[in-house]
Amino acid sequence: MLSYTEENYLKALLKLSFQNEAKPEAGTNEMAAHLGVKPATATDMLKKLKEKELVNYKKYGKILLTDSGKQQAIAILRKHRLWETFLYEKLDFSWDEVHEVAEQLEHIQSNKLVDKLEEFLGFPEFDPHGDPIPKANGDMPKVEKILLSEVKEGEVCWVVAVKDTSTVFLQYLEKLEITIGTPIKVLERIDFDGSMSIQISDQEARNVSMKFAENLFITLHQR
Amino acid sequence: MLSYTEENYLKALLKLSFQNEAKPEAGTNEMAAHLGVKPATATDMLKKLKEKELVNYKKYGKILLTDSGKQQAIAILRKHRLWETFLYEKLDFSWDEVHEVAEQLEHIQSNKLVDKLEEFLGFPEFDPHGDPIPKANGDMPKVEKILLSEVKEGEVCWVVAVKDTSTVFLQYLEKLEITIGTPIKVLERIDFDGSMSIQISDQEARNVSMKFAENLFITLHQR
DNA sequence: AACATTTGTTAGGCAAGTCTAACTTTTATA
DNA sequence: TATAAAAGTTAGACTTGCCTAACAAATGTT
Ligand SMILES: [Mn+2]
Ligand SMILES: [Mn+2]
Ligand SMILES: [Mn+2]
Ligand SMILES: [Mn+2]
């Protein structure tokens, strides 16, 4: 049985491994920053997790989840995303409110609970932010998605997920009437600053910054 | 913000205060037993809770919740019972399974969550064990209920709650097809050992022990 | 009232998780 | 390649919640 804290470290390592497809290992400072603790604290915990064979780790070396560690991390992510879906679908939370509460709910220990919850929600495939929900066996649909910033002029695409999940960004999206599934047409790309002119659904043309375009995941084939 | 552990101590004190209507104060040993810790540990925590003005407490004296402490304890009980209701009504948990998971869920911090949950459940008044669910303002319907062991021969009554909520007892009740609302007629009381002959719904007469009759709450006026 | 039993407290210690400050190793740069 | 910067580790300390063993107070019994 893992502690609440140990679970958070495993989940952090999993999330960091998603960031660079190519190199799934993480650094101590990176981890500590992600968890809001000091690097010294992260080192302490890594030694404990290594002892439990949840991470592969050597002094000054790369940090990687073991198979067992990854499996447990995925189980936590599964709970997180199912709870987010519950809050959003059933309790009318907005998509910028779900994360904070799911951070707590993801630590509830009960296999029956998570499986029943999934059934109650109708076996959803994606959470409110468009992220895939792992199945009970650990399978997680690999979603093909690119950033809005990579779309060529004239192309139409559909929003599938958000990269940044901060409240400011999510509320900005809401103001723009952008949600998962919204179609966007790229009208013009401005090389000068990476901003672009886009058409959201049937709205009038509007300019968005490079930072914006680099935080919205889209797909070119409607899902 | 209270810790998970502090919350459990407050809830324990509230529960103990319900046990003897007349004297709502608790003892250190009693508390420790209820929480599965040693008396020395309870003393330590009482000093901390006193510091936070959640309990009135003097060395070797009686232990009582302050108004603030009681208010917080009721909020936790409210969450516990709402979650039990959710598990029972929406996720198909049986009434002996809900408690363990609700023990964890009751510590989730989010006022919005608990209020939305209550609304989602249709503002239930009682949990699956027949216990009243406190309202957001702390109001808790005082339920008039007596023990089956107090019912006179020939009288009919209705099950309103269980005193013992252990798995063995709840599963025995299920086997007897007794649930909240089931009518019971007391056919005969045996003075020798306190057992009684009862009729459950329209079933045949059956004998139950004194221990049984002292753990089932009933009312004489159908609810 | 004296003694015995029950109840409650104190002292000292331990594990988990965190920190700061000092140190070491690795990596980047001149 | 020598040095500077960044990344990572260690040592020692603190807090919370728990324990055991010894002690003190309150209560019950003759
Ligand atoms: Mn989230
Ligand atoms: Mn999410
Ligand atoms: Mn319960
Ligand atoms: Mn209950």
Side-chain angles (χ1 to χ4, degrees), chain A residues 15 80 84 98-100 102-103 127 129 165:
Chain A
K15 288 251 208 82
H80 183 99
E84 284 190 344
V98 299
H99 184 80
E100 183 189 346
E103 278 298 312
D127 84 0
H129 308 109
T165 60

Side-chain angles (χ1 to χ4, degrees), chain B residues 3 5 9 38 40-41 44 48 60:
Chain B
S3 73
T5 310
Y9 278 86
K38 300 294 168 179
T41 308
D44 286 347
K48 265 196 294 180
Y60 297 104

Side-chain angles (χ1 to χ4, degrees), chain A residues 77-78 80-86 88-89 95 98-99 102 124-134 160-162 165 180 223:
Chain A
L77 197 63
R78 167 172 158 81
H80 183 99
R81 292 180 177 170
L82 281 171
W83 280 116
E84 284 190 344
T85 306
F86 170 73
Y88 186 78
E89 297 287 336
W95 72 348
V98 299
H99 184 80
E125 296 204 49
F126 300 97
D127 84 0
H129 308 109
D131 295 314
I133 300 173
V160 290
V162 288
T165 60
I180 306 297
R223 183 154 93 183

Side-chain angles (χ1 to χ4, degrees), chain A residues 3 9 37-38 40-41 44 48 60:
Chain A
S3 74
Y9 279 86
V37 298
K38 300 293 167 180
T41 308
D44 286 347
K48 267 196 292 181
Y60 297 104

Side-chain angles (χ1 to χ4, degrees), chain B residues 80 84 98-99 102-103 127 129:
Chain B
H80 182 99
E84 284 191 344
V98 298
H99 184 79
E103 278 298 312
D127 83 2
H129 308 109

Side-chain angles (χ1 to χ4, degrees), chain B:
Chain B
M1 187 104 319
L2 298 176
S3 73
Y4 185 108
T5 310
E6 289 169 326
E7 290 195 343
N8 281 334
Y9 278 86
L10 291 185
K11 196 177 56 138
L13 283 169
L14 183 67
K15 288 250 207 87
L16 291 173
S17 84
F18 288 157
Q19 275 177 14
N20 272 11
E21 200 86 3
K23 61 167 171 57
E25 68 284 355
T28 305
N29 287 358
E30 203 182 4
M31 255 186 88
H34 197 266
L35 288 160
V37 298
K38 300 294 168 179
T41 308
T43 300
D44 286 347
M45 181 58 86
L46 284 171
K47 285 191 265 188
K48 265 196 294 180
L49 294 177
K50 180 210 169 88
E51 213 48 49
K52 295 190 177 185
E53 300 190 46
L54 296 164
V55 297
N56 285 321
Y57 163 68
K58 254 177 267 169
K59 261 216 273 192
Y60 297 104
K62 295 296 176 205
I63 305 162
L64 267 176
L65 287 168
T66 61
D67 284 352
S68 158
K70 184 170 180 181
Q71 200 179 307
Q72 308 218 38
I74 287 176
I76 299 158
L77 197 62
R78 166 173 158 81
K79 288 191 276 183
H80 182 99
R81 292 180 177 170
L82 282 171
W83 280 117
E84 284 191 344
T85 306
F86 170 73
L87 296 172
Y88 186 79
E89 298 285 337
K90 303 292 183 183
L91 299 196
D92 262 335
F93 276 58
S94 59
W95 70 349
D96 60 298
E97 292 174 318
V98 298
H99 184 79
E100 184 189 345
V101 182
E103 278 298 312
Q104 299 178 60
L105 287 163
E106 73 190 359
H107 300 289
I108 303 294
Q109 313 256 264
S110 164
N111 288 331
K112 176 159 187 173
L113 174 58
V114 51
D115 294 342
K116 283 286 187 177
L117 182 63
E118 182 183 34
E119 183 185 344
F120 180 64
L121 296 171
F123 298 92
E125 297 204 48
F126 301 96
D127 83 2
H129 308 109
D131 294 314
I133 299 174
K135 296 295 171 198
N137 63 10
D139 285 357
M140 192 164 51
K142 177 115 191 290
V143 184
E144 37 159 316
K145 62 186 186 204
I146 58 175
L147 293 170
L148 175 63
S149 55
E150 299 172 57
V151 179
K152 296 198 193 80
E153 275 185 9
E155 281 188 319
V156 174
C157 59
W158 289 264
V159 175
V160 291
V162 289
K163 186 170 181 191
D164 181 355
T165 59
S166 69
T167 302
V168 267
F169 185 53
L170 296 178
Q171 288 186 349
Y172 181 36
L173 290 174
E174 238 164 49
K175 195 174 120 196
L176 297 183
E177 294 177 40
I178 291 175
T179 182
I180 306 299
T182 302
I184 291 178
K185 180 168 185 179
V186 174
L187 304 172
E188 194 185 355
R189 302 180 49 118
I190 315 293
D191 286 342
F192 169 62
D193 60 3
S195 70
M196 41 172 67
S197 171
I198 63 173
Q199 186 185 16
I200 301 163
S201 300
D202 296 318
Q203 299 175 34
E204 297 200 348
R206 153 187 288 282
N207 254 75
V208 293
S209 71
M210 179 167 75
K211 183 172 177 189
F212 179 94
E214 284 178 340
N215 276 294
L216 202 59
F217 284 119
I218 56 84
T219 180
L220 296 173
H221 315 286
Q222 191 164 13
R223 181 154 93 184

